[in-house]
C-alpha cells in the first residue's frame, strides 16, 4: 500500500472524512502498525497540519519521517478534550507506538513494582516497566537507586512480606517465617486478603503517604492495646519505629509544612532534556523522580546571559511541551491518592487548563498548577532545576564518552563516519542442546533493547550431542539479512535504503541496516559469517568484524592477523560491552529454553494426561518417583483419576510387567504364587 503522501487523491478523501470534533487519531503504516497516537480539540485541523505542503513542513525531522510512512488514519471521537487526553494516555500505554516515545527508556532510573494482580503480590526493583497485568503498579522512576534499595530492605524488615519469588521447600515454610520476616505465603498461612492489606500499607511508603501511614498504625496499635493484645501492639510499635527511621533517613525539610506538592523543572541542551520531579509531602522531600526526554528542536539558551535572565518565549514554550509530556506520562500511571493538590512548574504548559482539569478528575479533588515567579516557591523551582542540571551534565559526559568510543571504532575499522547502529551476535547451547542465538543493538554507544532479537537455531544438524557454532552463526546471518538480500535482488538501491535506515531507529520495513556487525568469536566464526553473506550477495555491503575473547583481538574479513589495537582503547571497549551484552542475552534465553524443556516431565508422554491432571498428580504425590511406586489402586484414588487412566499410568512406568507377572492358564495362579522366582520364570 502506498503512503498517503504518495497518493494525493486518497489523502484528500481521507482528510475530508476526519470530523471536526475532539478525539484521538491513530497513524498506521503499510503493515498496519501504529506509528503515532495523538489527541486534538478539532481532529480535522490537527490531522491536516501533518500534511501541509506535502512533506511534513514545519515539523521536526522525527515527525516528518513519520508522516512519510503514514498509509492510514483512524480516529476516535470523544465528548471533550479532557476525555481525549485520558484516552490518548491509555492508547499509548497499550500500544507503545514508536513515534510517541518522547520519554527515553534508557533503563537508567529504576522502578519499584508491586504485582497486585497476583494472589500474593511480589514487590521488587526493576529497570524495565513492562505491564503483565493492568493491576500491577510501578512506582518511580527513582533517581537514587541506593536509597530505594535501602528503603525496600528496611520495609521488608519492618513488615512481614513474601521474601522469595519461589518457595524454598515444597511442604514447609523456611526460616523467614520462623523469625517473623515472612507470613508463610508459600504454605498459605495468611489469607490473600490479609496479605493485600499489609502490602497496601507498604505501598503508602512509596506513594509518599508516610504521615497517613503513621496515623493509621498509631490507631491500630491503640486498638490492640485496648483489647489487651500486647504482642500485636508491640509488633505495630516496631513498625512505627522502623518507619520513623526510614523517614529520618530520606526526608529533608523544605518549609511550609501545611501543603503537599510536586515540583517539576528541567535542564536541556540541543538534544536531551533532563527532567526532575520532587515529591514534597507535608513540607518534606519524600521522593525524587527523574526522566530523560527528547529535546531536539528546542531553542538554545541565550549565550552569555546571566542566570537570572528568563528563557526566550520560544524556549519557554518548548520547555512547557516537555513538562506536559512528562506530566501526562507520569500521572497516567499513578493512583489518585498519589496526586498532590498542587504542582509547581518551571514553565507554563501548552494546555495547562486541560491538564489541571484532568488531574483534578483523577484525584477526585481540585489540583492547582502554578508557575511561581518569586519568594519561596520560586526557590523550590530553582532547587529542582539545579538538580536537573547535574543530571544533564552527567548524561552529557556519558554521551561524550560514547561519542569518543564510536569515533575510535570508526578509525579502527577505517569507516568514513562514526557508526551509529552496531549489532552484536552470539550463540549459546550445551553440547548442541537448546541452541539459541542473540542479536543485541547499540545505538550511539548505548543499548537499544527495543531492537534486541532472539533466535532458536533451526538446523537439524545442531542437536543434543552435536554442536556447530560456525553453522549456527551462518544460519543467523542468513535469517537476519534475508530481506535485504531480496530487496537487492529485486533491484533496490541499498544506498537509499541505508540512508532511510540511518534516519530512523526502527520503524518497520527495512529501516534496520547496521553500520557495523560484530561476531563473538575468532577467524573461524568470521569466515562462516562471510560465506553466508556471500551467498546473500551482501558481503561487499556490510562492515563485519569479530572479537576474540582470549586476547580481545579484533579481526576483519580478508586479513589474516588481528588489527593493531589495545584491549583498553575506547573502540575496543565498546565492542567488548557489545560482546558481553550479546553473551548475557544469549545465555539468559538458553537458560529459559532449557528450563522450559526440563519442566516438561516424563508425565507429559503419557496418553490422556494433560497439564491440569499432571499438576493435580504432582500436588497429590509430591514427586514423580512416588507416582512411579504407587499401585494402580492408589493412583485411581488420586483426584481426577479413574481406574482406566490409573492403569495407563501404571503400565507406562511398568512396561512388560503384565507378561512377567501373568496368570497361568492351567491353574489360574501366577508365577510368583507358584514359588518360582522372576529370574527362573523363563
Amino acid at each position: 500500500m502506498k503512503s498517503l503522501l504518495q497518493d494525493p487523491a486518497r489523502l484528500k478523501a481521507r482528510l475530508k472524512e476526519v470530523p471536526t470534533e475532539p478525539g484521538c487519531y491513530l497513524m498506521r503504516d503499510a503493515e498496519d502498525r501504529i506509528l503515532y497516537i495523538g489527541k486534538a480539540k478539532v481532529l480535522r485541523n490537527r490531522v491536516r497540519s501533518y500534511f501541509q505542503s506535502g512533506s511534513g513542513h514545519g515539523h521536526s525531522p522525527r515527525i516528518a519521517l513519520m508522516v512519510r510512512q503514514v498509509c492510514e488514519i483512524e480516529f476516535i471521537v470523544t465528548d471533550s478534550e479532557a476525555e481525549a487526553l485520558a484516552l490518548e494516555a491509555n492508547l499509548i500505554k497499550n500500544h507503545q507506538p514508536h513515534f510517541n516515545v518522547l520519554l527515553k527508556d534508557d533503563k537508567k532510573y529504576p522502578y519499584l513494582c508491586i504485582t497486585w494482580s497476583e494472589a500474593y503480590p511480589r514487590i521488587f526493583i526493576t529497570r524495565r516497566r513492562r505491564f503483565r497485568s493492568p493491576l500491577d503498579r510501578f512506582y518511580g522512576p527513582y533517581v537514587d537507586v541506593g536509597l530505594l534499595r535501602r528503603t525496600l530492605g528496611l520495609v521488608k524488615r519492618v513488615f512481614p512480606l513474601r521474601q522469595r519469588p519461589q518457595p524454598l521447600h515444597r511442604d514447609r515454610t523456611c526460616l523467614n517465617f520462623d523469625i517473623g520476616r515472612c507470613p508463610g505465603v508459600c504454605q498459605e498461612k495468611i489469607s490473600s486478603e490479609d496479605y493485600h492489606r499489609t502490602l497496601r500499607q507498604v505501598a503508602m511508603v512509596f506513594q509518599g503517604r508516610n504521615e497517613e501511614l503513621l496515623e493509621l498504625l498509631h490507631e491500630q496499635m491503640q486498638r490492640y492495646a485496648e483489647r489487651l493484645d500486647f504482642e500485636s501492639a508491640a509488633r505495630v510499635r516496631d513498625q512505627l519505629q522502623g518507619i520513623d527511621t526510614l523517614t529520618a533517613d530520606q526526608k529533608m525539610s523544605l518549609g511550609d509544612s501545611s501543603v503537599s506538592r510536586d515540583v517539576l523543572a528541567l535542564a536541556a541542551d540541543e538534544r536531551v532534556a533532563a527532567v526532575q520531579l520532587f515529591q514534597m509531602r507535608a513540607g518534606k522531600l519524600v521522593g525524587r523522580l527523574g526522566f530523560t526526554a527528547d529535546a531536539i528542536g528546542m531553542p538554545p539558551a541565550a549565550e552569555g546571559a546571566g542566570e537570572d535572565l528568563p528563557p526566550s518565549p520560544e524556549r519557554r514554550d518548548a520547555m512547557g511541551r516537555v513538562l506536559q509530556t512528562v506530566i501526562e506520562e507520569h500521572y497516567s500511571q499513578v493512583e489518585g491518592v498519589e496526586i498532590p493538590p498542587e504542582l509547581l512548574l518551571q514553565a507554563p504548559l501548552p494546555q495547562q487548563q486541560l491538564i489541571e482539569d484532568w488531574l483534578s478528575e483523577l484525584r477526585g479533588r481540585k489540583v492547582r498548577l502554578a508557575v511561581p515567579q518569586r519568594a519561596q516557591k520560586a526557590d523550590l523551582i530553582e532547587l529542582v532545576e539545579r538538580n536537573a542540571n547535574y543530571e544533564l551534565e552527567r548524561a552529557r559526559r556519558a554521551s561524550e564518552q560514547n561519542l569518543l568510543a564510536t569515533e575510535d571504532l570508526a578509525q579502527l575499522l577505517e569507516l568514513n563516519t562514526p557508526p551509529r547502529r552496531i549489532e552484536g551476535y552470539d550463540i549459546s547451547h550445551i553440547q548442541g542442546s537448546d541452541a539459541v542465538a542473540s542479536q543485541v543493538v547499540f545505538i550511539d554507544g548505548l543499548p537499544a533493547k527495543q531492537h534486541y532479537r532472539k533466535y532458536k537455531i533451526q538446523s537439524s544438524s545442531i542437536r543434543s550431542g552435536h554442536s556447530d557454532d560456525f553453522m549456527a552463526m551462518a544460519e543467523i546471518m542468513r535469517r537476519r539479512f534475508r530481506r535485504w538480500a531480496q530487496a537487492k535482488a529485486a533491484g533496490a538501491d541499498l544506498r537509499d535504503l541505508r540512508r532511510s535506515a540511518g534516519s530512523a531507529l526502527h520503524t518497520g520495513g527495512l529501516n534496520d541496516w547496521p553500520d557495523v556487525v560484530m561476531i563473538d568469536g575468532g577467524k573461524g566464526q568470521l569466515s562462516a559469517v562471510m560465506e553466508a553473506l556471500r551467498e546473500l550477495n551482501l558481503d561487499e555491503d556490510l562492515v563485519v568484524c569479530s572479537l576474540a575473547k582470549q586476547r580481545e583481538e579484533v579481526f576483519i574479513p580478508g586479513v589474516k592477523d588481528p588489527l593493531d589495537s589495545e584491549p583498553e582503547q575506547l573502540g575496543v571497549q565498546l565492542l567488548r560491552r557489545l560482546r558481553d551484552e550479546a553473551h548475557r542475552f544469549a545465555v539468559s534465553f538458553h537458560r529459559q529454553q532449557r528450563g522450559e524443556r526440563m519442566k516438561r516431565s516424563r508425565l507429559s508422554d503419557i496418553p490422556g494426561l494433560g497439564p491440569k491432571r499432571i499438576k493435580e498428580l504432582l500436588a497429590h504425590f509430591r514427586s514423580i518417583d512416588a507416582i512411579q511406586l504407587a499401585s494402580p489402586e492408589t493412583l485411581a484414588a488420586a483426584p481426577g483419576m479413574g481406574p482406566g487412566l490409573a492403569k495407563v499410568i501404571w503400565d507406562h512406568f511398568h512396561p512388560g510387567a503384565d507378561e512377567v507377572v501373568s496368570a497361568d492358564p492351567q491353574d489360574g495362579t501366577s508365577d510368583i504364587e507358584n514359588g518360582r522366582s522372576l529370574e527362573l520364570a523363563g
Side-chain angles (χ1 to χ4, degrees):
M1 181 188 295
K2 291 183 179 180
S3 71
L4 290 177
L5 283 179
Q6 295 173 329
D7 192 347
R10 191 163 63 91
L11 172 61
K12 184 177 180 180
R14 195 72 182 103
L15 291 178
K16 286 183 178 180
E17 297 172 357
V18 181
T20 58
E21 299 182 54
C24 292
Y25 54 92
L26 294 80
M27 307 283 199
R28 292 183 179 270
D29 66 4
E31 298 184 21
D32 205 37
R33 285 188 294 255
I34 297 178
L35 297 172
Y36 187 77
I37 296 173
K39 63 181 181 302
K41 187 175 183 179
V42 180
L43 279 170
R44 181 178 296 175
N45 294 348
R46 185 71 184 98
V47 173
R48 279 180 180 274
S49 68
Y50 286 100
F51 300 95
Q52 290 175 353
S53 301
S55 60
H57 177 71
H59 294 300
S60 67
R62 183 175 66 91
I63 296 300
L65 175 66
M66 181 269 293
V67 171
R68 290 199 296 270
Q69 301 176 54
V70 174
C71 294
E72 187 54 79
I73 304 170
E74 297 178 9
F75 53 83
I76 302 173
V77 175
T78 60
D79 290 333
S80 66
E81 193 177 6
E83 287 185 13
L85 175 63
L87 177 61
E88 179 198 37
N90 288 331
L91 291 173
I92 292 174
K93 175 182 174 182
N94 291 333
H95 297 286
Q96 292 289 305
H98 172 74
F99 287 97
N100 277 99
V101 185
L102 181 61
L103 295 185
K104 295 179 178 295
D105 184 15
D106 58 2
K107 309 301 184 295
K108 180 179 179 182
Y109 300 126
Y111 295 84
L112 182 106
C113 177
I114 300 181
T115 56
W116 291 108
S117 58
E118 299 176 2
Y120 293 94
R122 293 171 292 135
I123 178 171
F124 56 91
I125 296 172
T126 179
R127 293 180 186 270
R128 306 179 71 180
R129 193 174 63 173
R130 182 175 297 172
F131 290 88
R132 290 180 171 84
S133 167
L135 298 177
D136 295 343
R137 276 296 321 278
F138 289 84
Y139 302 89
Y142 294 93
V143 175
D144 192 340
V145 63
L147 177 59
L148 177 60
R149 294 188 188 280
R150 291 194 299 272
T151 302
L152 181 59
L154 181 57
V155 162
K156 285 190 172 183
R157 289 196 300 272
V158 170
F159 293 91
L161 295 175
R162 173 180 177 176
Q163 300 288 331
R164 302 177 59 87
Q166 298 294 334
L168 187 62
H169 307 292
R170 183 184 296 273
D171 54 354
R172 60 186 176 88
T173 57
C174 65
L175 183 62
N176 284 317
F177 175 75
D178 298 326
I179 63 176
R181 291 282 182 86
C182 175
V185 167
C186 60
Q187 301 301 317
E188 298 186 2
K189 293 185 177 295
I190 182 175
S191 68
S192 177
E193 294 77 14
D194 290 341
Y195 189 72
H196 271 78
R197 191 176 300 113
T198 300
L199 209 53
R200 279 194 290 270
Q201 295 179 348
V202 171
M204 294 172 73
V205 174
F206 298 96
Q207 293 170 344
R209 301 163 60 197
N210 292 345
E211 297 294 332
E212 187 179 341
L213 177 59
L214 288 172
E215 293 178 5
L216 182 66
L217 292 178
H218 271 295
E219 294 174 2
Q220 188 176 354
M221 183 178 65
Q222 291 295 334
R223 287 197 300 271
Y224 282 136
E226 290 171 0
R227 296 204 303 260
L228 304 182
D229 187 355
F230 298 116
E231 183 176 348
S232 298
R235 186 170 61 250
V236 177
R237 177 205 61 201
D238 294 340
Q239 293 175 354
L240 285 167
Q241 292 175 350
I243 294 173
D244 284 336
T245 302
L246 173 65
T247 54
D249 288 342
Q250 73 176 19
K251 289 186 179 178
M252 175 180 68
S253 294
L254 294 174
D256 192 4
S257 61
S258 61
V259 179
S260 294
R261 57 171 65 98
D262 284 351
V263 188
L264 291 95
L266 64 86
D269 57 16
E270 65 280 0
R271 296 184 60 189
V272 177
V275 185
Q276 295 278 292
L277 189 155
F278 277 30
Q279 297 173 313
M280 296 174 54
R281 301 297 181 264
K284 294 184 178 180
L285 179 65
V286 301
R288 183 164 70 105
L289 310 184
F291 306 86
T292 307
D294 190 349
I296 295 176
M298 179 177 291
E303 294 185 5
E307 292 184 1
D308 296 333
L309 191 66
S312 66
E314 293 79 10
R315 182 175 175 84
R316 194 172 176 83
D317 291 343
M319 292 164 61
R321 288 195 296 271
V322 173
L323 290 176
Q324 179 166 320
T325 301
V326 171
I327 290 172
E328 293 176 6
E329 168 79 12
H330 174 64
Y331 291 103
S332 64
Q333 311 292 341
V334 306
E335 299 177 18
V337 294
E338 300 177 53
I339 301 175
E342 184 178 63
L343 270 68
L344 301 184
L345 309 173
Q346 182 186 21
L349 308 182
Q351 299 171 303
Q352 186 155 317
Q353 186 59 50
L354 173 65
I355 298 297
E356 192 172 278
D357 295 341
W358 174 61
L359 291 175
S360 299
E361 182 180 348
L362 290 178
R363 183 172 181 259
R365 284 179 288 177
K366 176 68 176 175
V367 176
R368 178 175 175 268
L369 274 61
V371 183
Q373 302 296 327
R374 55 184 180 273
Q376 189 181 46
K377 292 181 179 180
D379 292 340
L380 287 177
I381 292 291
E382 193 274 333
L383 171 66
V384 179
E385 183 181 358
R386 196 161 66 242
N387 280 270
N389 268 305
Y390 291 137
E391 288 299 313
L392 178 64
E393 189 60 34
R394 188 169 68 174
R396 186 181 291 138
R397 285 197 299 269
S399 177
E400 290 173 355
Q401 191 76 1
N402 289 325
L403 179 60
L404 291 174
T406 56
E407 289 176 348
D408 183 64
L409 182 61
Q411 291 182 0
L412 183 65
L413 300 179
E414 298 182 355
L415 305 178
N416 294 327
T417 58
R420 184 149 192 253
R421 179 180 176 124
I422 311 173
E423 295 182 358
Y425 295 85
D426 192 17
I427 306 293
S428 181
H429 58 84
I430 296 179
Q431 292 296 314
S433 67
D434 305 302
V436 299
S438 66
Q439 169 196 325
V440 302
V441 180
F442 278 20
I443 293 178
D444 295 332
L446 293 173
K449 295 190 176 182
Q450 67 271 30
H451 304 307
Y452 284 19
R453 297 293 180 267
K454 305 171 184 175
Y455 297 90
K456 293 181 183 179
I457 303 302
Q458 298 174 348
S459 174
S460 59
S461 301
I462 301 174
R463 58 189 183 276
S464 182
H466 187 277
S467 61
D468 191 333
D469 285 0
F470 299 165
M471 181 183 294
M473 194 64 78
E475 174 190 324
I476 297 309
M477 290 298 107
R478 295 188 191 97
R479 291 165 62 184
R480 166 65 177 89
F481 295 104
R482 183 183 297 125
R483 292 178 304 137
W484 286 91
Q486 292 170 350
K488 185 176 181 179
D493 189 341
L494 288 190
R495 289 176 297 179
D496 292 340
L497 293 176
R498 287 161 62 178
R499 278 194 292 270
S500 67
S503 63
L505 301 187
H506 182 72
T507 56
L510 289 176
N511 293 338
D512 57 356
W513 180 267
D515 298 312
V516 173
V517 171
M518 188 220 66
I519 307 301
D520 182 9
K523 290 185 289 186
Q525 284 87 347
L526 182 61
S527 298
V529 165
M530 295 309 299
E531 181 62 32
L533 293 177
R534 271 189 288 273
E535 294 175 11
L536 299 174
N537 195 24
L538 294 176
D539 56 305
E540 300 287 340
D541 302 292
L542 280 166
V543 177
V544 186
C545 67
S546 67
L547 182 63
K549 189 170 185 179
Q550 187 172 6
R551 297 180 181 176
E552 308 294 1
E553 295 174 328
V554 181
F555 292 91
I556 59 174
V559 179
K560 178 180 178 181
D561 297 323
L563 298 180
D564 185 13
S565 62
E566 295 294 333
E568 299 305 320
Q569 75 179 75
L570 292 176
V572 178
Q573 284 185 349
L574 176 59
L575 291 180
R576 290 169 62 184
R577 290 200 303 273
L578 182 69
R579 187 265 318 278
D580 293 345
E581 179 68 357
H583 180 72
R584 179 200 65 79
F585 195 51
V587 169
S588 64
F589 184 42
H590 166 74
R591 288 173 177 167
Q592 175 188 339
Q593 295 296 112
R594 189 180 70 213
E596 291 177 358
R597 176 176 56 82
M598 295 177 69
K599 285 178 183 177
R600 297 191 292 267
S601 69
R602 288 174 288 170
L603 298 177
S604 303
D605 300 329
I606 302 176
L609 272 189
K612 182 179 179 181
R613 280 179 170 164
I614 289 175
K615 188 175 181 180
E616 291 174 345
L617 268 179
L618 289 173
H620 183 76
F621 289 100
R622 299 290 183 180
S623 70
I624 295 180
D625 290 338
I627 296 172
Q628 185 174 353
L629 295 173
S631 66
E633 292 77 15
T634 306
L635 289 169
M641 295 293 113
L645 186 55
K647 181 70 164 54
V648 172
I649 298 173
W650 195 84
D651 289 344
H652 177 80
F653 286 113
H654 305 83
D658 285 344
E659 289 78 7
V660 174
V661 187
S662 61
D664 191 315
Q666 300 296 325
D667 57 10
T669 59
S670 69
D671 292 336
I672 294 179
E673 289 172 343
N674 286 329
R676 291 191 290 268
S677 67
L678 291 178
E679 291 82 356
L680 301 177

